[in-house]
Amino acid sequence: MKFPSRTWNILTVHVDKKEERDCYVESLRVEPLRTDTSSLRVRKSSRKDRPKKIEPTVTLVDLDPRATEDRLEAREELRRVPLLDEEHNTAVGTALTVAEAEIMHVALKKNIDMFAWTSVDMPGMSPDVITHRLSIFKETRPISQKKRNLGDKKRLAAKEEADKLLLAGFIREARYTTWLTNVVMVTKPNGYWRMCVDYRNINNACLNDTYPLPNIDRLVDGVTGYKIMSFLDAYSGYNQISIHPRDKGKTAFMTADANYYYEIMPFGLKNAWATYQRLMDKIFKGLIGQAVEVYVDDIVMKSNSFEQHLKDLDEV
């Protein structure tokens, strides 16, 4: 793979896929080239038409098992700016001038309906656009795993996580199942529990989707040398892609209290990355390589001037 050095030379190294992605993430943490430009990290906020009083809901951090992992972010110092209120804010670079920061603030607030913090703020992707399908070998027989004993702490944690997913509308109770799998409770770095579904059986039974992921070398070359960039976290976009109706029952999993199946594409299912990349390529068709670079759920906007960046930001 290739990645830019601090002197903007392109270096080539031979590493595995994990190291390759780490280098790509590090290469995007660039210093601003001029005092009047900067990198921007865009965090998700609430929709402007969101009612003041809504039914109880859960935050996207609670729903996304990857929320504690490192995400793309600017290397320079950032400051928080409110979008809807002080609680719903985002971050902009401190290298922006006062005038530029104010213009950027207005541009972000103008598009506040594109941001989300809770499941209520995510309308979901129309099934007419894309759904996630499970292409299972015809000769495969459904597997229903034997129920595992989680223990009291893990059982309560699994119930709590399932209740969050039910409240968000991401899962529903399953009554008759063919495929059925267990959950695995893993401790997060912050001490809380993460509920993972053991989809190894059904993943092994699925065909491999060979949809091409972006080439890391091209992505690194594509963002090198630009004067201003924005990083958009789209990690909760997974929760907006529906499972194809005929395949929902195949995602069934069990807790100590009930069996459930997914309405939306869960993490851990085979080919989920390919489905998401296919969606991103559709959404940003005509912009990839010009104004944005996309690697699954990491979106990087790039421009050579602040004025052009505002236009690109509005279009994206």
Side-chain angles (χ1 to χ4, degrees), residues 56 71 96 103 158 165-166 173 182 217 235 265 279 298:
R71 309 297 299 172
L96 289 173
I103 293 173
L165 294 172
L166 274 172
E173 186 172 351
N182 284 277
D217 291 353
Y235 58 78
M265 183 174 69
L279 174 63
D298 291 328

PDB file of all heavy atoms in Angstrom, residues 56 71 96 103 158 165-166 173 182 217 235 265 279 298:
ATOM      1  N   PRO A  56     -39.834   7.751  24.468  1.00  0.00           N
ATOM      2  CA  PRO A  56     -38.490   7.367  24.904  1.00  0.00           C
ATOM      3  C   PRO A  56     -37.728   6.692  23.776  1.00  0.00           C
ATOM      4  O   PRO A  56     -38.266   5.894  23.033  1.00  0.00           O
ATOM      5  CB  PRO A  56     -38.774   6.388  26.054  1.00  0.00           C
ATOM      6  CG  PRO A  56     -40.121   6.767  26.555  1.00  0.00           C
ATOM      7  CD  PRO A  56     -40.890   7.231  25.345  1.00  0.00           C
ATOM      8  N   ARG A  71     -12.365   6.614  15.455  1.00  0.00           N
ATOM      9  CA  ARG A  71     -12.962   7.078  14.233  1.00  0.00           C
ATOM     10  C   ARG A  71     -12.039   8.116  13.599  1.00  0.00           C
ATOM     11  O   ARG A  71     -11.133   8.632  14.236  1.00  0.00           O
ATOM     12  CB  ARG A  71     -14.337   7.716  14.498  1.00  0.00           C
ATOM     13  CG  ARG A  71     -15.283   6.856  15.321  1.00  0.00           C
ATOM     14  CD  ARG A  71     -15.630   5.574  14.643  1.00  0.00           C
ATOM     15  NE  ARG A  71     -16.310   5.801  13.371  1.00  0.00           N
ATOM     16  CZ  ARG A  71     -16.579   4.847  12.512  1.00  0.00           C
ATOM     17  NH1 ARG A  71     -16.216   3.602  12.766  1.00  0.00           N
ATOM     18  NH2 ARG A  71     -17.211   5.122  11.386  1.00  0.00           N
ATOM     19  N   LEU A  96      -9.818  27.995  11.397  1.00  0.00           N
ATOM     20  CA  LEU A  96     -10.718  28.842  10.631  1.00  0.00           C
ATOM     21  C   LEU A  96     -10.743  30.249  11.221  1.00  0.00           C
ATOM     22  O   LEU A  96     -10.675  30.428  12.438  1.00  0.00           O
ATOM     23  CB  LEU A  96     -12.136  28.276  10.647  1.00  0.00           C
ATOM     24  CG  LEU A  96     -12.410  26.996   9.852  1.00  0.00           C
ATOM     25  CD1 LEU A  96     -13.824  26.508  10.133  1.00  0.00           C
ATOM     26  CD2 LEU A  96     -12.213  27.230   8.373  1.00  0.00           C
ATOM     27  N   ILE A 103     -19.570  31.316   8.878  1.00  0.00           N
ATOM     28  CA  ILE A 103     -20.162  30.855   7.615  1.00  0.00           C
ATOM     29  C   ILE A 103     -20.343  29.335   7.634  1.00  0.00           C
ATOM     30  O   ILE A 103     -21.369  28.813   7.199  1.00  0.00           O
ATOM     31  CB  ILE A 103     -19.274  31.278   6.428  1.00  0.00           C
ATOM     32  CG1 ILE A 103     -19.274  32.800   6.287  1.00  0.00           C
ATOM     33  CG2 ILE A 103     -19.761  30.636   5.134  1.00  0.00           C
ATOM     34  CD1 ILE A 103     -18.287  33.315   5.253  1.00  0.00           C
ATOM     35  N   ALA A 158     -27.794  -8.662  28.387  1.00  0.00           N
ATOM     36  CA  ALA A 158     -28.381  -9.017  27.092  1.00  0.00           C
ATOM     37  C   ALA A 158     -29.830  -8.537  27.007  1.00  0.00           C
ATOM     38  O   ALA A 158     -30.269  -8.045  25.956  1.00  0.00           O
ATOM     39  CB  ALA A 158     -28.312 -10.526  26.884  1.00  0.00           C
ATOM     40  N   LEU A 165     -32.794  -2.253  21.406  1.00  0.00           N
ATOM     41  CA  LEU A 165     -33.026  -2.535  19.992  1.00  0.00           C
ATOM     42  C   LEU A 165     -34.520  -2.611  19.686  1.00  0.00           C
ATOM     43  O   LEU A 165     -34.967  -2.160  18.624  1.00  0.00           O
ATOM     44  CB  LEU A 165     -32.336  -3.841  19.600  1.00  0.00           C
ATOM     45  CG  LEU A 165     -30.805  -3.837  19.657  1.00  0.00           C
ATOM     46  CD1 LEU A 165     -30.254  -5.242  19.439  1.00  0.00           C
ATOM     47  CD2 LEU A 165     -30.223  -2.880  18.613  1.00  0.00           C
ATOM     48  N   LEU A 166     -35.303  -3.167  20.626  1.00  0.00           N
ATOM     49  CA  LEU A 166     -36.754  -3.214  20.455  1.00  0.00           C
ATOM     50  C   LEU A 166     -37.338  -1.808  20.431  1.00  0.00           C
ATOM     51  O   LEU A 166     -38.205  -1.490  19.604  1.00  0.00           O
ATOM     52  CB  LEU A 166     -37.384  -4.017  21.595  1.00  0.00           C
ATOM     53  CG  LEU A 166     -37.473  -5.528  21.436  1.00  0.00           C
ATOM     54  CD1 LEU A 166     -37.942  -6.170  22.737  1.00  0.00           C
ATOM     55  CD2 LEU A 166     -38.412  -5.910  20.294  1.00  0.00           C
ATOM     56  N   GLU A 173     -39.794  -9.576  18.036  1.00  0.00           N
ATOM     57  CA  GLU A 173     -39.818 -10.909  18.636  1.00  0.00           C
ATOM     58  C   GLU A 173     -40.113 -11.960  17.571  1.00  0.00           C
ATOM     59  O   GLU A 173     -41.001 -11.796  16.732  1.00  0.00           O
ATOM     60  CB  GLU A 173     -40.854 -10.985  19.743  1.00  0.00           C
ATOM     61  CG  GLU A 173     -40.823 -12.301  20.513  1.00  0.00           C
ATOM     62  CD  GLU A 173     -41.723 -12.311  21.723  1.00  0.00           C
ATOM     63  OE1 GLU A 173     -42.247 -11.232  22.077  1.00  0.00           O
ATOM     64  OE2 GLU A 173     -41.897 -13.406  22.299  1.00  0.00           O
ATOM     65  N   ASN A 182     -27.042 -17.915  19.236  1.00  0.00           N
ATOM     66  CA  ASN A 182     -26.850 -17.327  20.554  1.00  0.00           C
ATOM     67  C   ASN A 182     -26.232 -15.941  20.451  1.00  0.00           C
ATOM     68  O   ASN A 182     -25.710 -15.545  19.408  1.00  0.00           O
ATOM     69  CB  ASN A 182     -25.925 -18.218  21.395  1.00  0.00           C
ATOM     70  CG  ASN A 182     -26.615 -19.460  21.915  1.00  0.00           C
ATOM     71  OD1 ASN A 182     -27.290 -19.436  22.937  1.00  0.00           O
ATOM     72  ND2 ASN A 182     -26.442 -20.567  21.199  1.00  0.00           N
ATOM     73  N   ASP A 217      -4.828   2.400  -1.662  1.00  0.00           N
ATOM     74  CA  ASP A 217      -3.804   3.238  -2.292  1.00  0.00           C
ATOM     75  C   ASP A 217      -4.439   4.426  -3.019  1.00  0.00           C
ATOM     76  O   ASP A 217      -3.970   5.561  -2.927  1.00  0.00           O
ATOM     77  CB  ASP A 217      -2.989   2.416  -3.286  1.00  0.00           C
ATOM     78  CG  ASP A 217      -2.117   1.379  -2.600  1.00  0.00           C
ATOM     79  OD1 ASP A 217      -2.068   1.410  -1.348  1.00  0.00           O
ATOM     80  OD2 ASP A 217      -1.497   0.567  -3.294  1.00  0.00           O
ATOM     81  N   TYR A 235     -21.291   5.917  10.616  1.00  0.00           N
ATOM     82  CA  TYR A 235     -21.326   4.568  11.156  1.00  0.00           C
ATOM     83  C   TYR A 235     -22.729   4.083  11.492  1.00  0.00           C
ATOM     84  O   TYR A 235     -22.983   2.888  11.503  1.00  0.00           O
ATOM     85  CB  TYR A 235     -20.413   4.432  12.379  1.00  0.00           C
ATOM     86  CG  TYR A 235     -20.685   5.355  13.538  1.00  0.00           C
ATOM     87  CD1 TYR A 235     -21.715   5.117  14.426  1.00  0.00           C
ATOM     88  CD2 TYR A 235     -19.870   6.460  13.752  1.00  0.00           C
ATOM     89  CE1 TYR A 235     -21.936   5.958  15.497  1.00  0.00           C
ATOM     90  CE2 TYR A 235     -20.091   7.303  14.819  1.00  0.00           C
ATOM     91  CZ  TYR A 235     -21.118   7.053  15.695  1.00  0.00           C
ATOM     92  OH  TYR A 235     -21.345   7.879  16.753  1.00  0.00           O
ATOM     93  N   MET A 265     -30.152  -4.272   8.905  1.00  0.00           N
ATOM     94  CA  MET A 265     -28.915  -5.038   8.716  1.00  0.00           C
ATOM     95  C   MET A 265     -28.039  -4.958   9.966  1.00  0.00           C
ATOM     96  O   MET A 265     -27.550  -3.890  10.313  1.00  0.00           O
ATOM     97  CB  MET A 265     -28.155  -4.473   7.497  1.00  0.00           C
ATOM     98  CG  MET A 265     -26.882  -5.236   7.164  1.00  0.00           C
ATOM     99  SD  MET A 265     -26.134  -4.646   5.614  1.00  0.00           S
ATOM    100  CE  MET A 265     -25.570  -3.005   6.106  1.00  0.00           C
ATOM    101  N   LEU A 279     -24.322   0.855  -1.463  1.00  0.00           N
ATOM    102  CA  LEU A 279     -25.224   1.979  -1.212  1.00  0.00           C
ATOM    103  C   LEU A 279     -24.482   3.308  -1.300  1.00  0.00           C
ATOM    104  O   LEU A 279     -24.972   4.264  -1.913  1.00  0.00           O
ATOM    105  CB  LEU A 279     -25.873   1.833   0.167  1.00  0.00           C
ATOM    106  CG  LEU A 279     -26.738   3.004   0.629  1.00  0.00           C
ATOM    107  CD1 LEU A 279     -27.927   3.195  -0.303  1.00  0.00           C
ATOM    108  CD2 LEU A 279     -27.210   2.797   2.069  1.00  0.00           C
ATOM    109  N   ASP A 298     -16.726   5.507   6.223  1.00  0.00           N
ATOM    110  CA  ASP A 298     -15.864   6.670   6.425  1.00  0.00           C
ATOM    111  C   ASP A 298     -15.937   7.551   5.184  1.00  0.00           C
ATOM    112  O   ASP A 298     -15.586   7.122   4.083  1.00  0.00           O
ATOM    113  CB  ASP A 298     -14.410   6.251   6.671  1.00  0.00           C
ATOM    114  CG  ASP A 298     -14.244   5.562   8.014  1.00  0.00           C
ATOM    115  OD1 ASP A 298     -14.985   5.917   8.948  1.00  0.00           O
ATOM    116  OD2 ASP A 298     -13.396   4.664   8.120  1.00  0.00           O
TER     117      ASP A 298
END
